[in-house]
Amino acid sequence: MTAEELKSVLAQRDRNSRKALSRWVMEQEEENKERCAQFLSQGIGGALEPKLYSGFRRALLLSRCAMVLAVIVIIGAYLISDFGFALVEGIWNRYCMALGIILAMSLFAGGSILVQNRKEQLIARCYLAQAEAGN
């Protein structure tokens, strides 16, 4: 993908452009693992890049918090369904556990999607910044 195509993909916000960006980033990660790891660990120091890098780091932190919260929600739902509703028999225990699992899965999926989106944006912008600096 050329720099112009990458700029147009980044400018658009439809599903096809997000899929194209995701495919391109996966290809770049397979070909240049060290370069992508450098982008994700320290960036390249461009003008727009610190904002994107801090957004990625924030999303990574939020994702990790969401994973911990998901585990806590699962454990809490189990404890509530097992001990908290001991007087209420039957179906309420299952509903409480199912609600906890759905909530935990939503937290985990949301955090993962956020991190992946920010990672793709950061890698693509860093590649563009390096391409422009090289020209």
Side-chain angles (χ1 to χ4, degrees), residues 8 14 24 45 65 71 75 77 80 107 110 113 119:
S8 68
D14 61 343
W24 182 81
C65 289
V71 169
I75 292 170
I80 288 173
L107 286 169
I113 289 170
K119 180 176 99 171

Side-chain angles (χ1 to χ4, degrees), residues 101-131:
I101 290 171
I102 290 171
L103 181 64
M105 288 173 56
S106 300
L107 286 169
F108 181 70
S112 299
I113 289 170
L114 180 66
V115 166
Q116 187 64 25
N117 186 6
R118 296 288 169 91
K119 180 176 99 171
E120 291 168 356
Q121 293 284 325
L122 178 65
I123 289 175
R125 299 282 180 179
C126 287
Y127 267 99
L128 279 177
Q130 267 193 350

Side-chain angles (χ1 to χ4, degrees), residues 23-85:
R23 256 185 267 124
W24 182 81
V25 168
M26 274 200 273
E27 289 172 3
Q28 294 302 316
E29 285 180 329
E30 288 174 5
E31 293 173 8
N32 301 323
K33 289 182 183 181
E34 300 85 24
R35 192 172 179 190
C36 290
Q38 176 193 7
F39 290 159
L40 295 176
S41 66
Q42 61 195 16
I44 60 169
L48 182 64
E49 184 265 331
K51 182 178 176 183
L52 289 170
Y53 183 69
S54 66
F56 170 71
R57 298 297 294 176
R58 194 175 323 114
L60 192 61
L61 178 68
L62 286 173
S63 174
R64 288 181 180 159
C65 289
M67 283 188 259
V68 169
L69 190 58
V71 169
I72 291 171
V73 165
I74 293 283
I75 292 170
Y78 174 74
L79 291 176
I80 288 173
S81 69
D82 217 24
F83 302 116
F85 289 129

